[in-house]
Structure formats: structure tokens, C-alpha cells
């Protein structure tokens, strides 16, 4: 029997506000439709099949993923079109071939940006009798993976595995990770345009060389939310928007009221000397991500909401985290403010903590506890993927 109320759940637990998830997913689907592109949501954030079904409503149904464990999890739940959007390591081909064998109909699309990796991948896949589509990663300015759209070797790189019976070139992919270091609609719109032009420029050069480019894939949450136009693009791949978080609030991408995932925690102590309230959700339950702090948002490791998911409690933040302890503080770090905090949050009280970076916070949990809107009634649970290799090649 499921506990019927948040008051009865063990803590820390992960809580998901279904009303907010539904709103977030519908709004992104509308953006994709307005731009005439399909939505291939990145499920590295939520890692949940139920959420993936919501996020792909009215869409072709393809997902973006970032681990073999996610591939195993989503394939086992009927998703067949998965783009594995992390540069492929040749040794993973054995596990991927095994996944495709065990899940008939599964098509995993790989990502690569070097002839060296591609050569090894092609040989390994061929020796296993496996076949994969692959995308060329383009660097649109983030400086992570990918080749420049102007790279002299761009065409040669794709041609280097053209003859392989194991690899089918599908197109280009880019991700504006640097959209996380600028604030506001105009700055994100400019990076959305940089993301678009990089992908389109690469696709044009490849097509001019006679190579077919079916997929032109872009996307981060800030650029997907604020893009003004996407001609030449076929799909976008945001992920954080499904849950949103305080970093997205600080970036000017969403409001606090859009944040769908929170960590349910219990007050376990008061320390009048340090003027801190202690809760049983620390670095492992929340993560040590301080991303919103880049813009001086003053959110610490998270904001503190009442158990019914109402707005954050005025002036309170998670000021510090230890492995299993979170330390709440008032922004006015006085004895009077601490006394008021102790009164508002007696020992045993429950709070919901909003995360800085949803992907980091939800990753270790194995399930979501579902609520709707205000209130503490638990409507159900959704399972989710965890880890890197769970279920892959017999690994746990
Ligand atoms: N695509 C790729 C390749 C990514 O690495 C990411 C995120 O890291 C995304 C899409 C999703 O972007 P966001 O996390 O901003 O939603």
C-alpha cells in the first residue's frame, strides 16, 4: 500500500508536481510546433518513462538519452528511437549491440566527432553484425564536444566511415551548453541562433558534398525556450524544462512556480549557536550544485517550501550541505530571525526543497512520488532509471 500523504513518506523522498510537469511539457510541445520542428526531449533529466510519454505527446516519440542504463530502461518500456547524445566510446558498442538484440525494433543513434572513434566503432559493430545510425556532433561555441561547422575535415570525417556496413550517417547535432552562462531572453535567443546557424551551416556543407543529412538537431532548455526561429532545423532536444529548477529561474527561463520536482525533508534539529535548522536532506539528496549562485541569486543549495508545495518561505535557503544534513538559514542571519525560523520549523516538521539543478538532484532517486497542485495527497509513484549501467550486460 502506498502512503497516501506526504506526511507519511520516508525522507528524503523525491516529489513531483504533475500539474507543473504537464504544463511544462505542453508549453514546449507548443514551441516545437510553432517552429515546425519535432521535439526529441532529453530524458537524462527526468529518466522516467511516464514523463517521457507526457513529453512526447503528439510527437514522433523519439527520445534523447545520456546513459546505457537509460537505454535499457526506456527500451524495456517500449521506446524504440533513442539518440544516445554523449560521444560514443568504442567499448560501449558491445553493450549497445546487445541492447538492440534484446529489444527488437530498438534503434540507437550514436554521436561522434572524430574519425578515430568512428573507425573503431565501425569495426567493432561490424564484427558483431550490429548496425547503428550516427550523428556528427557540431560545436556551436560551447567548447565541449563537436567539430566546428567550418572545420576543413568536416566532409572527410563523414566520408571516412561512408563505406561501413555498420554505420549509417543520419545528420548533425549540436547543444548550446554555454546558454547556461548568460541571462535573459535576448541573450538566449542569440545563442539559439548561434546553435541553429552552426547546425545548418554544417548540414549545408555536407549536402553540398553530396552527403544526405536527414537530421539537424539542436537544443538546450534556455535556447529552446527563447529561440525566435528555427529554419533548417528538424528537431530540438531540451530536457530540464520538464522539471525546471532554480538555475533556470536565475537564467530568466522560468518562474519558481514552474519547478516540478522537490525533495521532501524532515527537520531533525535546531542549532541556536550557528542559527541553523537541520534537515535530513544533504549533499546526496540535493546535490552540491550551486549553479544559480553564478548570478548571485542567493538560493544557496535550494529554497525551502512548505510541505504543500506553496511558494518558498520568505528569506530561507539551504545554506550548507553535508552528506546527509542540510542546514537551513535565514537571509537575515540574526538571533531574532533564527528564533522565528525555529518556531516556523519545529523538529519533525516537513519541508519541500527546490533544487538548483534538477538533473543532478533527481538522478540518484529510484522513484517520484506524485502530487497535484497544492496539497499533500500522494496520487501515485513513477519509477525512473538510475546509474550508468544498471541492467546492461547483467550489471546492477
Ligand atoms: N542535448 C545534449 C547533447 C545535452 O548535453 C543536453 C544537456 O546537457 C541537452 C540536449 C538538454 O539540454 P538542457 O539540459 O539545457 O535541457
Amino acid at each position: 500500500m502506498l502512503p497516501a500523504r506526504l506526511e507519511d513518506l520516508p525522507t528524503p523522498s523525491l516529489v513531483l508536481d504533475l500539474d507543473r510537469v504537464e504544463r511544462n511539457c505542453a508549453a514546449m510541445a507548443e514551441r516545437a510546433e510553432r517552429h515546425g520542428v519535432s521535439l526529441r526531449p532529453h530524458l537524462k533529466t527526468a529518466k522516467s518513462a511516464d514523463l517521457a510519454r507526457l513529453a512526447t505527446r503528439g510527437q514522433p516519440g523519439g527520445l534523447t538519452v545520456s546513459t546505457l542504463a537509460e537505454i535499457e530502461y526506456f527500451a524495456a518500456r517500449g521506446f524504440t528511437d533513442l539518440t544516445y547524445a554523449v560521444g560514443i566510446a568504442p567499448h560501449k558498442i558491445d553493450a549497445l549491440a546487445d541492447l538492440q538484440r534484446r529489444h527488437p525494433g530498438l534503434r540507437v543513434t550514436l554521436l561522434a566527432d572524430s574519425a578515430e572513434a568512428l573507425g573503431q566503432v565501425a569495426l567493432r559493430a561490424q564484427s558483431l553484425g550490429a548496425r547503428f545510425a550516427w550523428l556528427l556532433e557540431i560545436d556551436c561555441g560551447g567548447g565541449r564536444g563537436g567539430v566546428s561547422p567550418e572545420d576543413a575535415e568536416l566532409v572527410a570525417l563523414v566520408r571516412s566511415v561512408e563505406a561501413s556496413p555498420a554505420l549509417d550517417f543520419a545528420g548533425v547535432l549540436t547543444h548550446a551548453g554555454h546558454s547556461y552562462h548568460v541571462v535573459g531572453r535576448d541573450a538566449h535567443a542569440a545563442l539559439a541562433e548561434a546553435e541553429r546557424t552552426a547546425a545548418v551551416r554544417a548540414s549545408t556543407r555536407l549536402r553540398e558534398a553530396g552527403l544526405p543529412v536527414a537530421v539537424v538537431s539542436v537544443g538546450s532548455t534556455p535556447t529552446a525556450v527563447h529561440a525566435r526561429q528555427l529554419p533548417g532545423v528538424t528537431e530540438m532536444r531540451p530536457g530540464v524544462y520538464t522539471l525546471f529548477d532554480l538555475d533556470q529561474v536565475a537564467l530568466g527561463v522560468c518562474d519558481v512556480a514552474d519547478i516540478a520536482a522537490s525533495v521532501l525533508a524532515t527537520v531533525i534539529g535546531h542549532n541556536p549557536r550557528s542559527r541553523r535548522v537541520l534537515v535530513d536532506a544533504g549533499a546526496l539528496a540535493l546535490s552540491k550544485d550551486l549553479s544559480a549562485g553564478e548570478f548571485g541569486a542567493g538560493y544557496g543549495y535550494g529554497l525551502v517550501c512548505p510541505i504543500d508545495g506553496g511558494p518558498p518561505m520568505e528569506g530561507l535557503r539551504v545554506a550548507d550541505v553535508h552528506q546527509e544534513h542540510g542546514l537551513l538559514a535565514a537571509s537575515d542571519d540574526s538571533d531574532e530571525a533564527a528564533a522565528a525560523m525555529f518556531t516556523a520549523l519545529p523538529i519533525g516538521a516537513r519541508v519541500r526543497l527546490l533544487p538548483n539543478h534538477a538533473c543532478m538532484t533527481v538522478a540518484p532517486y529510484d522513484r517520484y512520488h506524485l502530487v497535484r497542485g497544492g496539497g499533500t495527497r500522494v496520487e501515485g509513484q513513477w519509477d525512473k532509471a538510475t546509474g550508468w549501467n544498471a541492467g546492461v550486460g547483467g550489471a546492477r
Side-chain angles (χ1 to χ4, degrees):
M1 255 265 291
L2 285 176
R5 303 175 317 148
L6 294 182
E7 287 84 344
D8 303 322
L9 285 182
T11 53
S13 281
L14 187 59
V15 177
L16 190 68
D17 185 323
L18 265 182
D19 290 336
R20 294 181 183 191
V21 173
E22 285 170 359
R23 260 196 340 255
N24 296 342
C25 289
M28 192 56 83
E30 261 171 44
R31 290 184 194 103
E33 193 177 337
R34 176 156 47 84
H35 291 305
V37 302
S38 58
L39 181 56
R40 180 184 285 277
H42 206 321
L43 266 296
K44 77 181 182 64
T45 304
K47 299 179 190 265
S48 148
D50 294 284
L51 192 144
R53 282 181 208 108
L54 270 182
T56 52
R57 226 177 240 173
Q59 300 295 325
L63 306 179
T64 314
V65 296
S66 64
T67 64
L68 297 185
E70 288 164 32
I71 296 173
E72 171 71 55
Y73 169 89
F74 286 110
R77 286 156 183 79
F79 291 87
T80 55
D81 176 8
L82 304 179
T83 295
Y84 177 30
V86 176
I88 185 65
H91 80 272
K92 292 180 181 166
I93 290 301
D94 294 55
L96 288 166
D98 181 53
L99 278 160
Q100 289 197 151
R101 208 168 29 245
R102 285 191 289 112
H103 297 286
L106 173 63
R107 279 186 305 119
V108 179
T109 298
L110 310 177
L111 184 65
D113 67 357
S114 82
E116 198 182 334
L118 280 166
Q120 291 180 38
V121 164
L123 282 179
R124 191 68 206 146
Q126 191 176 348
S127 74
L128 295 167
R131 190 165 182 166
F132 299 95
W134 73 279
L135 296 168
L136 177 63
E137 186 171 10
I138 303 297
D139 183 357
C140 60
R144 192 175 68 178
V147 296
S148 159
E150 303 301 340
D151 194 303
E153 299 302 314
L154 189 82
V155 172
L157 211 163
V158 176
R159 288 222 191 280
S160 70
V161 284
E162 210 184 3
S164 168
L167 292 181
D168 300 313
F169 177 61
V172 296
L173 175 151
T174 193
H175 164 67
H178 47 324
S179 63
Y180 281 78
H181 303 295
V182 296
V183 175
R185 185 177 296 273
D186 290 344
H188 294 141
L191 287 188
E193 184 58 9
E195 206 177 31
R196 185 190 78 80
T197 50
V200 170
R201 169 72 180 140
S203 67
T204 304
R205 286 187 62 206
L206 293 165
R207 283 183 187 132
E208 281 171 1
L211 291 159
V213 181
V215 177
V216 181
S217 181
V218 301
S220 71
T221 288
T223 52
V225 168
H226 287 145
R228 296 198 171 122
Q229 50 153 20
L230 291 174
V233 167
T234 64
E235 65 173 30
M236 60 182 190
R237 314 174 316 279
V240 175
Y241 77 95
T242 54
L243 305 183
F244 279 131
D245 54 31
L246 291 171
D247 193 28
Q248 300 289 335
V249 175
L251 291 165
V253 174
C254 70
D255 295 324
V256 169
D258 299 321
I259 300 176
S262 57
V263 170
L264 181 71
T266 302
V267 173
I268 55 171
H270 293 162
N271 188 328
R273 294 163 304 285
S274 62
R275 297 177 296 281
R276 297 290 185 263
V277 165
L278 278 62
V279 294
D280 61 353
L284 288 179
L286 277 174
S287 91
K288 275 192 143 179
D289 193 296
L290 281 168
S291 45
E294 182 178 343
F295 310 106
Y299 300 152
Y301 293 91
L303 290 184
V304 186
C305 297
I307 189 172
D308 67 2
M313 298 164 82
E314 193 67 30
L316 290 196
R317 72 189 191 290
V318 184
D320 199 3
V321 284
H322 300 192
Q323 184 165 340
E324 299 296 353
H325 294 76
L327 278 68
L328 312 187
S331 49
D332 162 16
D333 200 14
S334 65
D335 287 340
E336 293 70 33
M341 186 170 59
F342 298 158
T343 305
L345 296 174
I347 310 264
R350 288 180 166 217
V351 288
R352 277 162 66 184
L353 306 173
L354 301 182
N356 261 301
H357 187 171
C359 311
M360 301 296 154
T361 299
V362 311
Y365 292 89
D366 65 358
R367 73 198 65 187
Y368 295 98
H369 300 276
L370 310 175
V371 295
R372 277 198 182 274
T376 63
R377 209 171 89 87
V378 179
E379 309 275 340
Q381 285 185 0
W382 281 353
D383 67 8
K384 63 183 284 297
T386 56
W388 289 268
N389 303 304
V392 176
R396 299 265 135 234

